[in-house]
Amino acid sequence: MARVTGIRSVALDVTDLATAQAFFTGPMGLEPVGPVKNAVFLRGASRHHHIVELRAGPRRAIRRVEFAADDRPAIDAIHARIAASGLACETPRGLDRPGGGYGFGFSDPEGRSIAVTAEVADHAAPLDHPDAPVKITHVNLNSANRDATARMLIEGLGFRLIDETTVNRFFCCGRDHHSVVVGANGLTTLNHIAFEMKNLDAMMRGGGRMRDAGHPVEWGPGRHGPGDNAFVYFIGPEDLPLEFTAEVLQIDETYVPRGPDDWTWPPGRLDQWGVTDPPTKRWKSVQNLTAFVSDGWMCMGSVPTSS
Ligand SMILES: [Fe+2]
């Protein structure tokens, strides 16, 4: 079955585009791709054309999660399943945007804008930068209808439910243990975006850069149970909930999923190492704030390149 292979990018709206750009190109370590009119496209250390798209908007919001697929036949097969499920979706087409590509957008069961793309003009080589985030390795989505979102991920995009705790379901679409996490809290908002760092030292140096820049670690450093990934959480401009992570467990089809009874912690513990305090009150507050906005069902509207 054709399926997505991972997250390619996220698109965010911010009220202060200049400040957000300075943050993402400063302590975050991303590099602008462009120039682009009325938007900022940012690449990481991978070959992906861009992994973050910023636009000015009336409020901070998440506009789109873009998944990668292998090729046009995969896009068309995934589109056929999404269309057959009854969700509002675009017809796959060539994309008029920086990096181009072929793909389509759709509105998921909870109104999030999701895109699936292939044939994007990726860079010839990764960035030679030891501490730049490599890619977006997962998004964690708050959900008011977790079963409907799970059906879309599994039956539409080809994910596998890989682990489940009392709070979160972890969905896998490749070697990374998870690329999407869905938590049921009654809201359809962004919980956080996780950027993969090359190794544990790069993750810790990233946390240090954030601290130096006035964005202290709100939870961590620690190591999660499901996925076995190390983490530091911090808050970006306009209360954006962000994570640096490293050493995400690599799995294959032999991995045996586990359930809530398997993923438990001893009293006082929330991670494997046990050296971190619990998440701060501020972190808990920003995990529910960022809403999804949509251009209706046209998820992949064109962005003119500047001349
Ligand atoms: Fe995470």
Side-chain angles (χ1 to χ4, degrees):
M1 183 169 97
R3 64 184 186 188
V4 300
T5 57
I7 295 175
R8 173 171 281 282
S9 76
V10 296
L12 301 169
D13 283 6
V14 291
T15 62
D16 182 345
L17 187 57
T19 297
Q21 180 175 3
F23 170 81
F24 279 98
T25 58
M28 279 297 285
L30 304 183
E31 291 204 354
V33 182
V36 182
K37 274 184 185 168
N38 304 321
V40 178
F41 283 60
L42 299 156
R43 70 170 294 190
S46 68
R47 293 179 58 244
H48 283 331
H49 178 272
H50 63 276
I51 62 172
V52 173
E53 173 188 338
L54 301 173
R55 291 203 221 185
R59 65 190 68 83
R60 172 257 301 116
I62 180 166
R63 178 167 292 278
R64 183 189 317 116
V65 178
E66 177 186 358
F67 293 100
D70 280 338
D71 50 27
R72 282 185 187 230
I75 295 285
D76 292 341
I78 294 166
H79 173 264
R81 295 200 302 265
I82 294 293
S85 74
L87 293 172
C89 64
E90 301 168 327
T91 301
R93 65 185 191 280
L95 302 173
D96 178 18
R97 62 162 189 172
Y102 176 82
F104 71 101
F106 67 97
S107 183
D108 88 353
E110 300 195 61
R112 308 178 189 94
S113 291
I114 307 291
V116 188
T117 63
E119 299 183 359
V120 178
D122 285 334
H123 303 281
L127 280 182
D128 184 18
H129 187 312
D131 287 347
V134 177
K135 66 178 183 182
I136 293 174
T137 187
H138 66 263
V139 290
N140 185 313
L141 307 173
N142 301 318
S143 174
N145 190 343
R146 195 164 63 157
D147 290 340
T149 292
R151 270 198 305 279
M152 178 273 297
L153 290 168
I154 295 168
E155 298 173 10
L157 298 182
F159 277 86
R160 177 186 179 200
L161 176 60
I162 206 69
D163 271 315
E164 182 171 359
T165 68
T166 53
V167 177
N168 291 313
R169 290 177 179 171
F170 297 78
F171 295 90
C172 171
C173 62
R175 296 295 312 281
D176 289 341
H177 173 272
H178 57 277
S179 297
V180 175
V181 183
V182 180
N185 74 346
L187 298 168
T188 302
T189 49
L190 173 70
N191 190 287
H192 64 269
I193 301 167
F195 293 80
E196 179 183 293
M197 306 298 269
K198 283 183 178 171
N199 51 45
L200 195 58
D201 269 5
M203 183 200 83
M204 295 295 279
R205 285 193 293 267
R209 290 202 305 274
M210 285 298 155
R211 187 169 183 265
D212 290 346
H215 302 272
V217 172
E218 305 286 343
W219 186 26
R223 187 179 286 280
H224 287 305
D228 199 37
N229 47 316
F231 65 84
V232 289
Y233 291 88
F234 53 94
I235 299 170
E238 306 191 26
D239 286 340
L240 285 170
L242 305 171
E243 174 186 3
F244 282 152
T245 192
E247 300 184 350
V248 179
L249 183 67
Q250 300 297 290
I251 65 171
D252 60 24
E253 64 280 357
T254 64
Y255 185 86
V256 178
R258 283 173 277 178
D261 292 341
D262 303 309
W263 294 111
T264 59
W265 298 113
R269 280 290 188 92
L270 288 173
D271 85 303
Q272 294 189 44
W273 291 338
V275 297
T276 181
D277 288 328
T280 64
K281 281 185 181 174
R282 186 163 176 242
W283 175 259
K284 290 180 178 176
S285 73
V286 304
Q287 285 179 298
N288 291 322
L289 296 181
T290 301
F292 277 80
V293 293
S294 171
D295 293 324
W297 64 292
M298 294 295 289
C299 303
M300 297 293 293
S302 65
V303 178
T305 50
S306 97
S307 52

